[in-house]
Amino acid sequence: MAEKRKNLTNSAHELKINRQLSGLIDEITFDSSRKMAFSPQLPELRNIHIFRRNEIEYRAVPNIHGYYVLWICLAGTGQLLVDGAHLELHAGESTLVLPGQPHIRLPDSRKRRVSWLLLRFESNDKGWFAGFRNARSRLGENAMAKLTALLEFYSRREDPLAAASC
């Protein structure tokens, strides 16, 4: 399946998305080793792209890029190799890939299907995200409700002018 992208460049629209993402991240629960690294204040995000991945086929070459990618497993079980660390994510779990981290989606040995939601963004606040490196988090019920609201809002957006009135 081809990657679907919408470039959210309207500043009023990005502010609304940032507020919704801040609420979503407030709801993520972390294991105790990562909990102290979390700050409830989300840094400014820019150049936000939201898209899904459902492909069965995988590339054999890792990706490396200069932006963050929040990988959220919406359904099924997904396999990622991030900076040499193998992560198996189940529905409702997520991980954040930092700029410069090599990562690749791996085929599942049991041929389980997976539905990913990816939030790709940039931020100048590099230190804030350091505690998330190779961490897996679980989205709670409230976070899933906020994520659903965010996706519904995002899917209704038809053009940049419509976003200005939000």
Side-chain angles (χ1 to χ4, degrees):
M1 175 185 256
E3 178 180 312
K4 274 189 156 180
R5 295 183 202 181
K6 289 187 180 179
N7 187 1
L8 306 180
T9 56
N10 180 280
S11 59
H13 187 61
E14 282 190 0
L15 288 174
K16 186 165 186 171
I17 293 292
N18 276 327
R19 284 193 302 273
Q20 290 175 317
L21 284 174
S22 182
L24 174 66
I25 288 180
D26 284 342
E27 297 295 333
I28 296 175
T29 57
F30 297 93
D31 64 37
S32 60
S33 66
R34 303 286 183 180
K35 194 167 193 169
M36 298 313 291
F38 180 72
S39 168
Q41 190 69 289
L42 186 67
E44 180 185 344
L45 308 179
R46 294 179 322 282
N47 299 321
I48 302 165
H49 299 263
I50 301 173
F51 55 99
R52 291 182 186 235
R53 290 222 181 263
N54 298 308
E55 304 95 28
I56 306 261
E57 299 170 9
Y58 297 90
R59 293 187 305 171
V61 179
N63 285 326
I64 300 175
H65 37 66
Y67 43 81
Y68 296 88
V69 181
L70 178 62
W71 288 76
I72 301 170
C73 183
L74 294 177
T77 300
Q79 310 287 329
L80 294 173
L81 187 63
V82 181
D83 236 1
H86 178 259
L87 296 173
E88 179 175 279
L89 299 178
H90 303 277
E93 294 181 333
S94 64
T95 193
L96 182 67
V97 175
L98 280 63
Q101 277 192 293
H103 61 281
I104 190 169
R105 290 173 292 131
L106 299 173
D108 188 75
S109 61
R110 292 190 261 168
K111 308 244 188 266
R112 294 175 288 187
R113 298 183 70 82
V114 63
S115 177
W116 295 108
L117 176 72
L118 286 83
L119 285 90
R120 185 172 66 193
F121 60 91
E122 295 174 354
S123 177
N124 287 337
D125 194 345
K126 308 293 184 209
W128 193 91
F129 295 102
F132 293 99
R133 186 178 200 97
N134 297 339
R136 183 175 61 203
S137 58
R138 180 113 183 100
L139 299 174
E141 192 173 309
N142 286 339
M144 291 303 283
K146 288 180 180 183
L147 179 59
T148 300
L150 174 69
L151 291 174
E152 287 172 359
F153 171 79
Y154 181 70
S155 66
R156 287 193 306 266
R157 181 179 178 271
E158 294 178 6
D159 61 66
L161 296 177
S165 64
C166 294

